[in-house]
Amino acid sequence: MAGRARLTGGPLGSPTRGTTNPNRLRRVDRWTVGSRLVRTALRDATDPLVADLGYGASPVTAVELASRLASVRPDVRVLGLELDPERVSAASPAADPPRLDFRRGGFELAGTRPVLVRAFNVLRQYTEAEVAAAWRTMLDRLAPRGLLVEGTCDELGRRCCWVTLSATGPLLFTLACRPADLDRPSDLAERLPKSLIHRNVPGEPVHALFEALDRCWATAAPFTTFGPRARWVEAARLLAADGWPVRDDRKRWRLGELTMDWTAVTPAG
């Protein structure tokens, strides 16, 4: 979605750098398609509208999202939102009515009521104090039982972290990666969403999570014989056995995913 953040009146927010690449968001899309929470929201929605907020200089990730979500809800509609009118104009030829559309908009979601919002690499430029207001602005505009998936990834989409929220607030926290790309799981800390990235310090739950996951990764070192994915799966199993509220099962872990209750990483204070 430069300038300083504007969270009141008109299209809300500040333009992003616009960096994008094909398949950059494949990991969050794969999780979205496989998530029971998201699938239920989409299938139950009267209007299966999904907003891709801050899709960047190219509409490619919005086009990919529409294609992937069609496996869950064939009549899904994806609305790409950007603050920069030139980006909206450039994306328009990629539109495929009624499946895909592009419009100028920000956190106010251009006046729409989507059942799902994907906002990736949007809040990195904001201060931590501004995150709650941006979240609330988007959540207040969701359709009933709608969801917001907000997070960050690297340029190639190999390291990703995101938060899943409902109208009541954060529900889930997810790490997703290419295990072969890691020396240790805490390498993912550089891609924490803005709500957590400054909290990765001693005394904070997210810091404790990475310490615990690194220990499990070290213990799982013998599984490297079977490949990095097998080591990630074993590390996830050990983390769950240690009492962390880990979700899903080996099938999802093998994809390099690790989802847990938000309560595990809720910032102190």
Side-chain angles (χ1 to χ4, degrees), residues 27-35 38-39 69 72 116 149:
R27 295 185 190 279
V28 64
D29 287 354
R30 182 169 61 189
W31 178 87
T32 299
V33 168
S35 165
V38 177
R39 291 172 69 91
L69 290 181
V72 179
L116 175 66
V149 178

Side-chain angles (χ1 to χ4, degrees), residues 183-211:
D183 288 329
R184 54 186 181 273
S186 58
D187 292 344
L188 287 163
E190 65 184 15
R191 296 299 166 178
L192 282 169
K194 179 60 74 169
S195 56
L196 292 174
I197 195 166
H198 300 301
R199 300 286 183 155
N200 188 28
V201 294
E204 288 284 347
V206 72
H207 185 267
L209 167 64
F210 279 125
E211 286 190 323

Side-chain angles (χ1 to χ4, degrees), residues 20-238:
T20 189
N21 286 301
N23 274 325
R24 186 184 186 188
L25 301 183
R26 64 193 179 281
R27 295 185 190 279
V28 64
D29 287 354
R30 182 169 61 189
W31 178 87
T32 299
V33 168
S35 165
R36 181 179 301 177
L37 182 68
V38 177
R39 291 172 69 91
T40 299
L42 276 173
R43 287 173 172 170
D44 291 350
T46 302
D47 179 10
L49 175 64
V50 175
D52 184 20
L53 179 64
Y55 57 83
S58 162
V60 62
T61 54
V63 174
E64 291 169 347
L65 179 63
S67 176
R68 290 162 180 160
L69 290 181
S71 66
V72 179
R73 181 80 186 248
D75 59 341
V76 70
R77 297 183 298 118
V78 172
L79 175 64
L81 295 175
E82 263 291 345
L83 289 175
D84 187 339
E86 293 186 2
R87 292 178 186 173
V88 176
S89 296
S92 295
D96 181 15
R99 191 173 67 98
L100 188 62
D101 191 17
F102 297 93
R103 196 177 305 176
R104 187 167 182 257
F107 298 129
E108 83 301 332
L109 307 180
T112 62
R113 301 277 288 178
V115 67
L116 175 66
V117 175
R118 183 184 71 181
F120 246 67
N121 304 306
V122 170
L123 291 177
R124 290 277 289 189
Q125 63 187 327
Y126 293 82
T127 67
E128 183 183 352
E130 292 172 309
V131 170
W135 277 358
R136 179 44 52 193
T137 300
M138 291 184 279
L139 292 173
D140 286 348
R141 287 157 175 78
L142 291 176
R145 296 187 296 279
L147 299 168
L148 165 64
V149 178
E150 186 272 311
T152 305
C153 68
D154 65 359
E155 287 73 11
L156 296 178
R158 292 182 175 181
R159 301 181 181 186
C160 318
C161 304
W162 63 84
V163 184
T164 303
L165 307 94
S166 71
T168 60
L171 301 174
L172 304 172
F173 172 64
T174 302
L175 303 173
C177 65
R178 180 174 180 264
D181 193 48
L182 301 178
D183 288 329
R184 54 186 181 273
S186 58
D187 292 344
L188 287 163
E190 65 184 15
R191 296 299 166 178
L192 282 169
K194 179 60 74 169
S195 56
L196 292 174
I197 195 166
H198 300 301
R199 300 286 183 155
N200 188 28
V201 294
E204 288 284 347
V206 72
H207 185 267
L209 167 64
F210 279 125
E211 286 190 323
L213 190 51
D214 279 353
R215 287 196 299 270
C216 293
W217 179 256
T219 302
F223 284 77
T224 305
T225 302
F226 307 105
R229 289 180 183 274
R231 185 179 183 181
W232 178 268
V233 168
E234 177 62 8
R237 187 194 69 78
L238 291 169

